[in-house]
Amino acid sequence: MAAQASAIGADAVLIQDLGVLRMLRQVAPDLPVHASTQMTVHSLDGVRACADLGMTRAVLSRELSRDQIEYICANAPIEIETFVHGALCMCYSGQCYLSSLIGGRSGNRGLCAQPCRLAFRWPGEKTPSHPLSLKDLSLAGALGQLEEMGVACLKIEGRMKRPEYVAVVTGIYAAALRQGREPTQAELAQLEAAFSRQGFTQGYFRDQKGPAMFGTRPQGARDPADLFDQARRFYTRGEHRTVPVSLT
């Protein structure tokens, strides 16, 4: 598959496992490789190690502050990619085994059942709470800062989200980047309507960690029908890229 990806012109592949990296270098030496956030690259030394291994870009951990990202970008020998929107894990991405232990769905394999979003009750307490549920990240309003810092690419989390959500969120960020501006107030409202857990947080980015970073999805919350209908009409009449498919 790696050789095929290289042959059809894939920009790069994301990897988390160093054994996979070694295999890729053997079967597809010309295929660019990026370090996934699941490698937990959170320091300049980690980025340099990625560069020494032949990677051309590293996706930093979501838990880094603005100053840490800026320092890494200023000294990194390869491109830096950062998350700007989407779910935050209570644990460093990919390093949590709660879902795997509870239900056999490993977050390190992209199958997390998100048990951290559930209510828990401490021994002796009668009322459950949500001590592990972080609000979603949103760096809307900081796009100019990220560009000045030298971030090469922005990453939006959407692995377990609906396609309408992906269309809304990526559309807003892409339009803002193309036009060299921050999202408007109307677009910010659309981001929150598409999905949020009692709003968003920039706690890690601003190095202001604390209770304000926690939030839950309100019970009975519904998808914004009009917004998602509009998004669906947009992407269904879009590029219509075709790829060969073999079904068994």
Side-chain angles (χ1 to χ4, degrees):
M1 292 295 294
Q4 183 182 8
S6 180
I8 63 177
D11 293 328
V13 293
L14 272 170
I15 68 104
Q16 180 263 336
D17 186 274
L18 296 181
V20 172
L21 174 64
R22 181 179 181 183
M23 178 208 61
L24 288 172
R25 283 288 153 264
Q26 294 172 345
V27 301
D30 296 329
L31 183 62
V33 178
H34 297 171
S36 167
T37 187
Q38 289 187 297
M39 290 192 71
T40 320
V41 179
H42 60 280
S43 67
L44 180 60
D45 285 341
V47 173
R48 286 173 172 165
C50 291
D52 291 342
L53 291 169
M55 302 186 201
T56 57
R57 179 185 294 174
V59 184
L60 297 181
S61 297
R62 298 171 230 202
E63 294 78 13
L64 298 184
S65 69
R66 181 198 182 285
D67 291 343
Q68 291 171 317
I69 297 172
E70 184 176 32
Y71 174 77
I72 292 174
C73 287
N75 297 279
I78 56 177
E79 291 183 342
I80 296 300
E81 182 172 339
T82 61
F83 278 87
V84 292
H85 199 95
L88 290 174
C89 299
M90 186 62 192
C91 180
Y92 272 77
S93 300
Q95 307 304 316
C96 176
Y97 291 94
L98 184 58
S99 177
S100 180
L101 288 171
I102 291 177
R105 291 176 55 179
S106 172
N108 204 31
R109 298 182 179 181
L111 300 174
C112 180
Q114 299 187 353
C116 57
R117 308 300 180 193
L118 302 177
F120 293 89
R121 184 171 58 244
W122 300 107
E125 287 187 341
K126 295 182 179 180
T127 304
S129 60
H130 295 81
L132 303 177
S133 182
L134 291 171
K135 295 178 180 177
D136 278 25
L137 164 72
S138 178
L139 294 186
L143 302 184
Q145 294 183 52
L146 294 169
E147 183 176 9
E148 291 176 2
M149 290 157 57
V151 174
C153 184
L154 305 181
K155 192 175 187 69
I156 294 171
E157 180 275 331
R159 175 176 292 173
M160 300 180 70
K161 299 294 200 304
R162 292 181 52 174
E164 292 86 352
Y165 164 90
V166 176
V168 170
V169 176
T170 56
I172 289 173
Y173 277 93
L177 291 173
R178 283 195 301 267
Q179 298 168 20
R181 60 172 177 82
E182 303 294 344
T184 65
Q185 287 299 317
E187 289 171 332
L188 293 176
Q190 290 178 348
L191 290 175
E192 187 163 348
F195 191 91
S196 72
R197 293 183 170 90
Q198 296 174 307
F200 298 112
T201 180
Q202 294 186 357
Y204 285 129
F205 186 73
R206 297 180 181 274
D207 199 17
Q208 297 175 349
K209 297 182 284 291
M213 294 180 63
F214 290 79
T216 60
R217 184 74 168 158
Q219 287 189 354
R222 296 182 178 180
D223 293 327
D226 291 342
L227 179 62
F228 278 8
D229 285 344
Q230 180 182 355
R232 196 179 303 109
R233 289 194 298 270
F234 174 77
Y235 69 72
T236 53
R237 70 167 186 264
E239 191 174 21
H240 293 299
R241 183 184 305 176
T242 59
V243 295
V245 176
S246 177
L247 297 177
T248 302

